[in-house]
Amino acid sequence: MDVLFGGATDRAEQVRDGRADVALLYVPFDDKTGLDHETLTVEGRVAILPPDHRLASRTQVTLADLALETLPR
C-alpha cells in the first residue's frame, strides 16, 4: 500500500480522478458527491477560548453566541 498525503481540499478529488482508492473526508467540508461513503465517527465541535473571554465560563456556546467573533477560515 502506498500512502498519498494531500492538502485539506483535494482528498475527494484524488479519489475521483483515480490517484487514491480511499480517503478520510471531513463532512461538511469535503464534497462527497459521486463517492460511495460510510460515516466512521462523528466528532463534536469545540470553541477554544482564552480564559478571560466573555464565553469561556460557559459549558456550551451556540453559533449565535459566536456571531460577532473573528473566526479563522
Side-chain angles (χ1 to χ4, degrees):
M1 170 175 52
D2 293 327
V3 177
L4 176 65
F5 292 97
T9 60
D10 61 349
R11 292 179 293 258
E13 193 58 38
Q14 290 173 348
V15 175
R16 284 188 193 96
D17 68 18
R19 287 179 285 161
D21 295 322
V22 65
L24 294 174
L25 304 179
Y26 301 93
V27 175
F29 307 108
D30 289 314
D31 178 13
K32 302 177 302 185
T33 303
L35 300 175
D36 289 330
H37 60 277
E38 181 176 332
T39 300
L40 298 178
T41 188
V42 176
E43 297 178 337
R45 301 247 179 117
V46 299
I48 300 173
L49 306 165
D52 58 344
H53 190 279
R54 66 182 177 84
L55 299 172
S57 63
R58 295 190 186 181
T59 57
Q60 292 184 331
V61 295
T62 66
L63 287 177
D65 295 330
L66 299 172
L68 301 176
E69 301 294 324
T70 302
L71 302 174
R73 296 278 174 209

